[in-house]
Amino acid sequence: MPTAPSTPSAPLRQARRAWNLLHIDSQQARRLAERAIEAATRDGELAAEGWARIALGYHLLYFGTVAEASRELQRALRCFAPGNDRAGQLLASAAMARAMWREGRVREALAAVLPLRDEGVRVLRHEQRGVLLNTIAGCYSALGDSSQAFAHMFEALRDAGPKRGHGFDTVLHCNLSHELLQIGDYEHALQHVDQGLAGCTQLKNARLLGILLINRVLCLTELGRASEALPDVAAVLAMPTDASGRGSIEPAFETLAIAALRAGDRALGAELVERALAGGASPIPDERVERVTAAGLLAMARGDAVAALRTLRAAYTEAARDDVEGLSVRIRAQFFAVLSEAHEAAGDAAAALAALRQAQRLAKAQSQLASRARYQAAALQTELLRLQHRLDENDARRRRTERARAELAAINEQLSRKIEEVQSLQEALRQQAVRDALTGLFNRRHLGDTLPALFALARREAQPLALVIIDLDHFKRVNDVHGHAAGDQLLAAFGQLLAQQVRRSDVACRYGGEEFCLLMPRTGADAARRKVQQLLRRWRAMRFELDDETLEGLSFSAGVADSLHAAASPDALLKAADDELLAAKREGRNRVIVARRAAAAMAGLQ
């Protein structure tokens, strides 16, 4: 809100409260906004009326129609004009751009909101600035520019943290999960969904809850766990679509239909496809193609591959093009995967292979989006350097006046924020590249980069390098009996335990599945064995409460080798440790075995 008198009027206090409750309690926010409009109109308080109409306009963007929202926002702009309330004008203009975006006019929306960014960074604070930056991020996301979308979303999340975001931080976790879905990082997206759902427990915002549940349905479906998504599908469908629930927009019936069909619920899938198609033609390319994909998948479920191909043909031209604005790589890859299945079911192996190659090409392009973002971030940094040069020129021209000094300070602050924005994006991308999202340990890619260097260093210094491969015993049984969520809980707990026990010089990695790898510089195999046996004792002592059952006495098997016994190459060192791991498992698991010392190996704790 703009700076107000020391004792704000009752309508202005109501308007402020309505804005702060937009994401916390949407229905209460609307009631307060309407009462504030009535009182402010009666008393002739334009500022209070303007802020109340902004709150109502944003509410209508979420739960009403674009036309309704636009009318309120235009009225708000007229209220702010006499007093030149820039904070109110900026937020109302951002909401108008969001309305354009809702109508499919994405480039027009970005052209309207992007020029507001620099002034908004100076004028707006906390979640208000986050709202503006999130609108810009949404436009970039709709245009497929993930680097700019991420940069603005992360910046918005810093401005709208849990303590001062009035629930908007939960919105941003939702949006970040969507953007991660677009580049195929489903595990990381699921983490942001879970953070958003945790935040929703403190809010009365069914629409936000609905979108988060839809995102979780999408994550689980893409991860091959569609059956786990069916409770979320049911929860979304149970929500009312009026202003008391998730709003009349973004039903995502096509997304829910694909999840139901992949989970084997044909009746529910058919109902959802029918509801998706009943919505008529969509202006959003992603929705158009996904609806056809869902309809084709339904025909496949009914055993009619010919009908599936006929249905899918309606979206083929659009899905095959690389230049359709607003059509994501993820949706296109999904389309061609289903098309390949349909051709295979119809007995056309050549066409199935061609469609599969298209899907694989798009999946590869999807995985490259994060890498492209890194290069685009470098281009953004160049833009910042040019901005710095312009600021220096402005300082030379205006340094004699107080106004010039004030403007320079504001622009310098803007520059610092943009540099932090680039650094935050680069660090986020670097961590995604080398860290395992579930355990927080390094991943196999980092192991492949690090092992040769440490091996070479060990040979130069004539010091041993120990390598340990650990495999959690009977892990498949945990997944089969207790579910993948329980398995993920054990993996995360073991990753945390391993991280706590290693030295700073050690490198702990998740090797794959339930396997972990530990590199220990300047450590021989016997010393490494003792360290890992201590780790085994601690793991066996841990207890996990899963549903109504307690898991305890867990164990692992481990193989240890060092560069003195496997001096040929890093690969030889890996193989030596892996051979001993296999020996440990053959001998009954729950033990640590050292390369070339099998006879003297200590058995696991009994």
Side-chain angles (χ1 to χ4, degrees):
M1 292 286 173
T3 302
S6 56
T7 306
S9 66
L12 184 56
R13 289 198 302 272
Q14 281 186 321
R16 286 177 173 175
R17 180 69 174 155
W19 173 266
N20 291 339
L21 285 174
L22 266 176
H23 304 291
I24 297 174
D25 188 340
S26 56
Q27 292 308 300
Q28 177 67 359
R30 176 169 187 159
R31 288 191 290 270
L32 282 172
E34 289 174 339
R35 288 203 293 267
I37 290 171
E38 183 180 354
T41 303
R42 182 187 63 240
D43 298 342
E45 293 191 29
L46 287 177
E49 181 186 348
W51 280 100
R53 290 194 184 281
I54 279 185
L56 182 57
Y58 271 93
H59 175 90
L60 291 170
L61 276 176
Y62 300 145
F63 295 99
T65 66
V66 171
E68 291 172 324
S70 297
R71 281 196 297 271
E72 291 300 328
L73 295 166
Q74 290 286 5
R75 291 169 182 168
L77 285 170
R78 288 196 292 271
C79 290
F80 292 134
N84 194 30
D85 185 337
R86 286 304 295 156
Q89 290 169 335
L90 287 166
L91 285 175
S93 298
M96 292 294 293
R98 190 179 184 91
M100 296 178 203
W101 165 23
R102 280 274 311 278
E103 293 177 321
R105 297 150 54 197
V106 183
R107 289 197 179 277
E108 187 178 346
L110 183 60
V113 74
L114 192 57
L116 308 179
R117 180 184 62 183
D118 293 352
E119 184 184 5
V121 168
R122 295 196 307 271
V123 174
L124 302 176
R125 291 178 59 79
H126 305 325
E127 90 288 346
Q128 294 179 5
R129 187 158 50 195
V131 167
L132 174 63
L133 293 172
N134 183 58
T135 301
I136 297 172
C139 292
Y140 277 122
S141 176
L143 293 171
D145 191 339
S146 291
S147 66
Q148 290 284 8
F150 272 124
H152 286 86
M153 283 181 196
F154 282 128
E155 181 68 21
L157 191 58
R158 281 198 295 271
D159 284 323
K163 292 184 179 179
R164 59 192 183 188
H166 303 297
F168 192 62
D169 57 309
T170 303
V171 175
L172 291 167
H173 282 302
C174 178
N175 293 349
L176 280 165
S177 71
H178 169 79
E179 199 59 37
L180 288 162
L181 279 166
Q182 297 307 94
I183 65 171
D185 192 347
Y186 304 118
E187 294 285 2
H188 197 189
L190 197 55
Q191 290 180 6
H192 278 284
V193 169
D194 289 340
Q195 286 181 272
L197 289 172
C200 268
T201 61
Q202 308 299 317
L203 311 179
K204 294 181 180 179
N205 191 330
R207 177 183 179 274
L208 180 56
L209 174 61
I211 296 173
L212 282 163
L213 289 174
I214 290 169
N215 281 357
R216 187 159 69 180
V217 168
L218 209 159
C219 286
L220 292 172
T221 304
E222 293 286 1
L223 289 169
R225 297 157 55 186
S227 59
E228 297 176 40
L230 289 180
D232 289 337
V233 173
V236 172
L237 294 177
M239 293 180 179
T241 56
D242 58 22
S244 67
R246 59 183 169 85
S248 60
I249 60 171
E250 300 178 7
F253 291 132
E254 54 279 349
T255 298
L256 304 183
I258 290 173
L261 292 167
R262 288 300 192 192
D265 192 335
R266 194 175 77 182
L268 178 58
E271 175 191 343
L272 290 167
V273 168
E274 182 178 352
R275 293 176 72 175
L277 297 177
S282 171
I284 302 173
D286 270 4
E287 287 185 3
R288 288 198 300 270
V289 175
E290 193 170 23
R291 285 177 186 177
V292 173
T293 303
L297 199 58
L298 175 61
M300 288 280 293
R302 290 170 171 166
D304 193 343
V306 174
L309 290 170
R310 187 167 54 249
T311 300
L312 293 168
R313 191 176 298 120
Y316 181 86
T317 301
E318 188 171 22
R321 290 174 56 189
D322 293 330
D323 59 348
V324 178
E325 188 174 289
L327 181 57
S328 68
V329 176
R330 181 185 67 80
I331 292 295
R332 295 172 64 204
Q334 176 181 253
F335 171 85
F336 279 105
V338 173
L339 180 62
S340 177
E341 294 175 29
H343 278 304
E344 184 177 2
D348 191 340
L353 181 60
L356 180 61
R357 285 173 175 165
Q358 274 278 57
Q360 291 171 338
R361 178 183 71 84
L362 291 166
K364 182 178 179 181
Q366 192 179 19
S367 68
Q368 290 171 341
L369 285 175
S371 298
R372 290 180 192 169
R374 188 179 296 113
Y375 291 110
Q376 291 171 1
L380 179 59
Q381 193 168 29
T382 301
E383 177 192 341
L384 299 180
L385 292 174
R386 291 173 180 169
L387 175 61
Q388 178 66 66
H389 180 66
R390 290 198 299 270
L391 294 179
D392 292 341
E393 291 178 342
N394 288 340
D395 180 45
R397 288 196 304 266
R398 303 178 186 181
R399 61 179 177 268
R400 295 182 181 180
T401 67
E402 188 64 30
R403 181 179 177 183
R405 287 193 294 269
E407 289 176 354
L408 179 63
I411 297 174
N412 279 338
E413 180 182 353
Q414 169 199 339
L415 176 63
S416 297
R417 295 182 64 82
K418 287 186 176 180
I419 291 174
E420 290 174 4
E421 173 184 300
V422 173
Q423 292 172 340
S424 174
L425 175 62
Q426 290 174 331
E427 177 59 21
L429 293 172
R430 190 188 69 80
Q431 288 297 323
Q432 289 176 30
V434 301
R435 289 283 181 182
D436 173 62
L438 178 62
T439 63
L441 302 177
F442 289 112
N443 57 23
R444 188 164 185 163
R445 172 181 175 179
H446 183 74
L447 174 67
D449 292 340
T450 305
L451 176 56
L454 289 181
F455 189 87
L457 180 63
R459 295 188 68 174
R460 283 199 304 271
E461 294 182 346
Q463 292 283 345
L465 168 66
L467 188 148
V468 185
I469 299 181
I470 299 170
D471 184 287
L472 302 187
D473 292 336
H474 306 297
F475 183 76
K476 184 177 183 300
R477 185 187 305 163
V478 174
N479 275 340
D480 292 344
V481 175
H482 301 285
H484 289 278
D488 288 350
Q489 181 182 346
L490 294 189
L491 290 171
F494 187 77
Q496 183 179 9
L497 176 65
L498 185 57
Q500 291 170 348
Q501 297 302 313
V502 299
R503 305 168 302 180
R504 285 190 176 185
S505 59
D506 296 340
V507 179
C509 306
R510 184 179 177 188
Y511 195 51
E514 66 271 25
E515 286 191 338
F516 297 81
C517 186
L518 180 60
L519 300 179
M520 303 177 70
R522 298 182 178 86
T523 306
D526 287 333
R529 172 180 54 78
R530 290 191 293 271
K531 182 76 172 181
V532 176
Q533 285 180 324
Q534 292 174 6
L535 182 69
L536 177 56
R537 283 192 288 271
R538 288 184 171 86
W539 181 239
R540 284 185 58 86
M542 294 181 71
R543 294 164 55 92
F544 298 91
E545 302 296 334
L546 302 177
D547 299 328
D548 297 329
E549 183 176 345
T550 299
L551 282 185
E552 56 185 337
L554 299 173
S555 65
F556 62 71
S557 304
V560 184
D562 64 30
S563 56
L564 300 181
H565 296 92
S569 67
D571 288 342
L573 181 59
L574 262 173
K575 184 178 186 306
D578 193 50
D579 288 345
E580 300 312 316
L581 169 62
L582 293 175
K585 292 167 74 174
R586 284 195 300 269
E587 292 181 19
R589 297 183 172 86
N590 186 29
R591 66 196 63 235
V592 182
I593 294 185
V594 177
R596 298 191 179 179
R597 300 187 183 183
M602 293 180 62
L605 303 177
Q606 302 298 325

